[in-house]
Amino acid sequence: MPDYDVNTLSAEPVELREVTEQLLLAGLREHALSDQLQRQLAYSSAIAGSLAEGVCTLDRAGRISFINVAAEHLLGWSDAEVRGRDIAAILQTSDAASDLDAFPAVDVLRSGVTYRTSHALFLRKDGTTFPVAYSAAPMVVAEQVVGVVVAFDDLTEVQRLQHMQEEYLALMSHDLRTPLTAMIGYSQLLLGQLKEATLERAARSAQAIVKSGAAMERIIQNALDRSRQQADHAALQLARLDLVELVTYSIEQNMLPLDRARIEVETVASLPIIADAIRIERVVVNLLSNACKYSAPTSPVVVRIFTMGTDALISVSDQGIGVDADELPHLFEKHYRARTAGTIEGSGLGLYGSRLIVEAHGGRVWAQSTVGVGSTFIASIPLTEPSPSANEL
Ligand code: ADP
C-alpha cells in the first residue's frame, strides 16, 4: 500500500469533487449552449425556408454553403447539389468566366459592405436565365466577415407587366395623338381664318383650343417618357426576328401618314437578328421621328438596312437642320439638345434611351451631320446573340 500523507488523502476527494463539479457544470453549460445554438439554427432555417425570397449563403471562399426552399424552386438546384459550388453556378455576370472576386456579391467578403442591384441575371440549373434584384450582405461574427447572405427576387413577372404597361401606354398615346394632331391642325387653320375675318373673340377661342391641345400633347409625351425611362432598366426580352420586317412594321404602326409618305426604305430582303423587338422598334421610331421633326415637312427621309462585317446596320438620313460637329458625341447624353434644335419641342431623352437599348444589344449608335444640309443617324446591332452581360440596361 502506498505511503499517503493523511492530509493529502483527505484533501484529494474534495478537489476531485470540485473538478468534477466544474467539468459537469461546464458540460451542462456547453450542452445548454449547443442546445440554444441548435434551436437558433432550426429557427433561422425555418425563417429562411418560409421566405418567399430566394436566399443563398456564401462561405469565406465565395462558395455556396446553403440555399433555401424558394431558391431551390427558382434555380432548379437542390441545396445538396449546389453546396460547395462557386457563385458562378447561379449568377451570371460579364466576369463569370474570368475571376470569382470580380463578382460584386463575392467582393462583399473583402469590403464588408452590402451590395444591392436590380439588374442581374441568375442562372437556372438548365442553363436558362431570369432577371433578379438581389442584395448581398456580409455575415459578421466577432468583427470578421465569415460569409455573405444573398437574398434575391425573381423579376420575370414584374418585367412582363412593365412590358405590357409600356406597350399599352405606347398604343394609347399613339391612338390619342392621331386625333389630337388633327384637332390642333384644324384649330390652327380655324384660328388663321378667324383672324383674317377679324373675328377677334372667336379667334381667341380657337387660340385656347390650340393651346389646350398642345398642353395635352405634352402630358402624353411626358407620361410616355417617364414610363420608357423606367422600362429602359428592365432586362432585354430577346427573340429571333427579321430586322427588315420590324422596321417596316415600326413605320406603319408609329409614323403619321404625312411622315410615312416621306420615308423611303432601302433594304436587303431580310436580315435575321436576335433582339428585343419592342426596344429596337423604339430606336427606329426615335430616329425616324427626329429625322421628320428636324427637317422640312416634305423633305425626304431615307432608311437603309444592311450588314457590315458582323453587324446589322440601320441608318436614317434626312435633309434637315443638322447639328454642329462638336455637339455630335453629346447628342446621346441624357437631356442633351443641340443648338440647332432652337424652339423645336423635345426632351433630349430619345437618343439617350436609344443608345442604352443599342448598347444593351452589344451595338453602337452614332451620327454624321452638316448644319443646313442634313444628318444621318446609324445604329449597329451584332448579328450574333448579345452576350448575357450586355443584356443589362
Ligand atoms: P429630342 O428630340 O426630344 O430633343 P433626342 O434625344 O431625340 O431628343 O435628340 C437629342 C437632340 O439631338 C435633339 O434635341 C436635337 O438637337 C438633336 N437631333 C436629334 N436628331 C436630329 C436630327 N435628325 N437632325 C438634327 N438634330 C437632331
Side-chain angles (χ1 to χ4, degrees), residues 290 293-294 318 323 331 336-338 341 346-351 375 377:
N290 280 347
K293 185 164 71 164
Y294 296 108
D318 63 57
V323 177
L331 299 182
Y336 193 90
R337 305 207 68 219
S347 59
L349 283 173
L351 288 181
S375 313
F377 283 77

Side-chain angles (χ1 to χ4, degrees), residues 113-316:
V113 179
T114 301
Y115 171 80
R116 284 192 178 82
T117 178
S118 47
H119 309 127
L121 286 175
F122 271 21
L123 266 171
R124 296 190 187 91
K125 188 182 174 184
D126 64 11
T128 56
T129 58
F130 61 103
V132 292
Y134 80 85
S135 66
M139 278 195 271
V140 182
V141 174
E143 294 177 19
Q144 293 277 317
V145 179
V146 295
V148 180
V149 184
V150 178
F152 62 95
D153 273 317
D154 182 355
L155 297 183
T156 310
E157 187 57 14
V158 174
Q159 290 193 354
R160 194 183 65 81
L161 292 174
Q162 260 176 2
H163 234 70
M164 273 174 63
Q165 185 197 29
E166 197 198 335
E167 249 181 292
Y168 171 73
L169 201 69
L171 280 175
M172 192 188 70
S173 43
H174 179 253
D175 288 353
L176 277 176
R177 263 191 176 158
T178 314
L180 190 61
T181 309
M183 211 180 89
I184 297 170
Y186 282 117
S187 41
Q188 273 169 338
L189 212 66
L190 186 65
L191 176 64
Q193 289 162 353
L194 292 171
K195 274 187 176 162
E196 250 171 48
T198 58
L199 292 165
E200 279 311 316
R201 281 184 61 186
R204 276 201 297 278
S205 305
Q207 177 76 59
I209 301 174
V210 174
K211 270 180 81 176
S212 303
M216 270 173 78
E217 202 169 36
R218 272 198 300 279
I219 295 170
I220 297 171
Q221 184 61 45
N222 284 343
L224 206 58
D225 285 346
R226 264 201 304 277
S227 116
R228 281 176 178 175
Q229 266 186 297
Q230 281 167 10
D232 277 342
H233 292 290
L236 297 182
Q237 312 271 317
L238 297 175
R240 204 166 281 281
L241 55 91
D242 179 4
L243 186 61
V244 177
E245 229 171 65
L246 179 74
V247 172
T248 317
Y249 169 88
S250 306
I251 296 171
E252 266 163 28
Q253 287 297 308
N254 300 279
M255 303 308 290
L256 293 174
L258 274 180
D259 286 334
R260 235 185 286 158
R262 307 163 56 186
I263 300 172
E264 197 182 307
V265 183
E266 290 177 7
T267 176
V268 288
S270 75
L271 186 37
I273 56 167
I274 296 171
D276 182 321
I278 293 182
R279 297 291 192 12
I280 297 297
E281 180 180 343
R282 200 183 311 148
V283 175
V284 172
V285 174
N286 270 332
L287 299 185
L288 283 170
S289 310
N290 280 347
C292 294
K293 185 164 71 164
Y294 296 108
S295 62
T298 49
S299 70
V301 169
V302 183
V303 186
R304 293 187 181 87
I305 308 164
F306 53 105
T307 55
M308 192 182 276
T310 54
D311 290 326
L313 269 75
I314 312 170
S315 75
V316 176

